[in-house]
Each structure stands twice: as structure tokens, then as C-alpha cells.
Amino acid sequence: MTDMILRTWIFVVYLFLDEVVGQNQQSVDKKESRQQSKNSNASRKEYCKPTPADIYGPYYITHSNRLIQYCTGNPRSYYNRTLTVHGHVLGEDCKIIPDTKIEIWQADVNGKYHSKDCRGYIITDKNGYYEFTTVHPGRYSIIQGQTYTRPRHIHFKVHGGLDHMGVVTQMYFKGDPYLGMNDGCRGCSSGKDQLQTRPELFCDNNLCIITVKFDIVLQTKPHGQHSRDMFNVLNRKK
């Protein structure tokens, strides 16, 4: 009888401990799940941080043509140094922004700007996606008593419409020795990681192209400012 009571108590204690351990494990799992959710939300929030603004520069022209191929004036340079640029336009809430106008201008492979070639605009599709082909922009020098060099870059002017602030910015390339403090334009944003892209080689059926992904995040407009086009831009022309 005593042995039976003892075995019964041992069994009850076992069930109790098993339940406690199970509850503790569930508590740990919930904490880990909440932490992972926080980390995921933090990562998502960081990713949807508005794209930093940059300067217009001296070569912006207000009217240009709708194009998907840029810098085609020199066929040899275009086909030998082709670059495909693509990405999405998003809001701060990470939702896509369709039908967005993006103005683009850049230097050719020799660092020269032109009045018609190497400039134009595109419109994002219903998924907020854009894509165009161009050439690797060349570096060029700014002379102010002495010579300063600008890193390779492509200019973007993204229109925000009624609900979002547009942005004037520039896309740069990681590894360029003239980024940041070495940029000839001291007031430009080339040192910001969010504007620095890394070209990748993509091959399909022995056809290889160099691609670069550049997503653009637009800031939500201030309350009561939905009636006109507004842009985030650095006010310095160098």
C-alpha cells in the first residue's frame, strides 16, 4: 500500500514538473518569437527608411524624353559597357508606389554630360518596379582653384505625387575611391551607405549583363500638403 502511494506521488510530481517545464518552454518560445518579431520589424523599418536626398547638380534639364535605354549615342560604348539598373519605389510603410515618374540623367563613359543623350525619364509599373539600361558613368573633375574628382554616379529625381515627398538623389557604386570625404563635391551624399550600390554579374544562356539594384523609399508628405509636388533635395549646385 505504501509503495503504491509512493508511486502515485512520484507520478503526480512527474506530471507537475512536466507541465511546469512545458510552460517554461512555451514562455521561452514566446519570448524568442516576440524578439524575432521585434528584430524583423526593426529590420523592415530600417529598410523602409526614406532615401537620402542629394543635390541637383549643374546639369539637370527640366524637359526630357521617356526612355528605357540611355547613353546610346556612342554604340561602341553602349554595348561594351552596358549597365542594367532596376529597383522598386516604396513608401515608408514598405508598400509599393506604382506609376511613379523617375527622371534620370548622368555622364557618359568619358564623364561628359549631353543635352539630349544620357537623360530622360521612366514610369514605374503597377508593382512599383522600374528598369533601364545605360552605360557605366564616367568620373569627372570639378575645378575650383584646384581639381576635385566626383565619383561615378547617376542622378534620380523621383516624383512623389499627392501622398509622398519626391526626392532628388544620386546612386553611387561601392568601392569607388572618391566616395565620402574624397568626393570633389563636399556637400554631396556619396558617403551614405543607402545610396551606394554593388553591381552584380548576371548570366543566362551564355549571355551576361551587369546589373545593379537601387530601391527608392519616399517620405510621407506632411499633413495638409497634398495639393502640390514637393521634393527633398540638398540645395547646393556643385
Side-chain angles (χ1 to χ4, degrees):
M1 186 67 176
T2 303
D3 291 342
M4 184 179 294
I5 294 174
L6 181 60
R7 285 197 296 269
T8 301
W9 274 106
I10 291 174
F11 181 68
V12 171
V13 171
Y14 171 79
L15 290 178
F16 174 75
L17 291 176
D18 183 63
E19 183 177 355
V20 170
V21 170
Q23 289 176 349
N24 288 341
Q25 183 60 48
Q26 290 178 3
S27 178
V28 170
D29 291 343
K30 288 180 180 178
K31 286 181 180 179
E32 290 181 350
S33 178
R34 286 196 296 268
Q35 187 60 43
Q36 289 174 357
S37 178
K38 287 181 180 179
N39 292 341
S40 176
N41 290 337
S43 176
R44 187 176 178 84
K45 186 175 181 181
E46 178 65 24
Y47 177 73
C48 295
K49 181 179 178 181
T51 298
D54 214 324
I55 69 167
Y56 270 104
Y59 302 107
Y60 173 68
I61 296 176
T62 53
H63 299 290
S64 58
N65 297 322
R66 185 172 180 174
L67 300 172
I68 58 172
Q69 294 178 307
Y70 293 77
C71 296
T72 58
N74 185 335
R76 178 176 296 180
S77 294
Y78 180 77
Y79 289 110
N80 290 340
R81 305 186 189 184
T82 303
L83 176 71
T84 297
V85 182
H86 67 103
H88 289 86
V89 177
L90 309 165
E92 290 180 277
D93 56 3
C94 298
K95 293 181 179 179
I96 61 169
I97 306 178
D99 305 318
T100 301
K101 182 178 180 181
I102 305 175
E103 297 180 65
I104 299 157
W105 67 103
Q106 67 168 86
D108 63 17
V109 295
N110 298 312
K112 303 294 183 182
Y113 282 87
H114 304 268
S115 60
K116 294 183 179 181
D117 198 20
C118 298
R119 65 177 68 245
Y121 74 90
I122 55 177
I123 305 291
T124 63
D125 66 13
K126 64 180 181 180
N127 297 312
Y129 180 77
Y130 76 90
E131 179 179 310
F132 65 92
T133 56
T134 184
V135 298
H136 291 266
R139 300 187 186 98
Y140 60 87
S141 298
I142 302 171
I143 301 177
Q144 296 176 332
Q146 56 182 315
T147 301
Y148 301 93
T149 302
R150 287 233 61 206
R152 303 180 193 276
H153 61 277
I154 297 176
H155 294 266
F156 288 75
K157 181 179 181 179
V158 187
H159 294 250
L162 296 178
D163 298 322
H164 299 88
M165 294 288 296
V167 64
V168 175
T169 191
Q170 300 180 36
M171 184 191 82
Y172 301 93
F173 300 88
K174 286 184 181 296
D176 193 309
Y178 293 100
L179 295 173
M181 295 300 295
N182 295 324
D183 191 342
C185 174
R186 296 291 185 259
C188 291
S189 300
S190 63
K192 296 185 179 295
D193 289 340
Q194 202 173 341
L195 300 181
Q196 297 175 13
T197 61
R198 189 182 301 279
E200 296 181 350
L201 184 65
F202 175 79
C203 296
D204 185 26
N205 295 327
N206 296 322
L207 176 64
C208 295
I209 59 173
I210 297 176
T211 68
V212 63
K213 189 172 188 294
F214 185 54
D215 289 334
I216 301 165
V217 179
L218 299 183
Q219 180 183 355
T220 303
K221 269 188 179 177
H223 181 70
Q225 299 292 332
H226 299 278
S227 61
R228 60 192 179 95
D229 229 358
M230 300 172 65
F231 294 89
N232 288 321
V233 58
L234 296 185
N235 295 314
R236 183 174 179 178
K237 290 192 175 184
K238 286 186 181 179

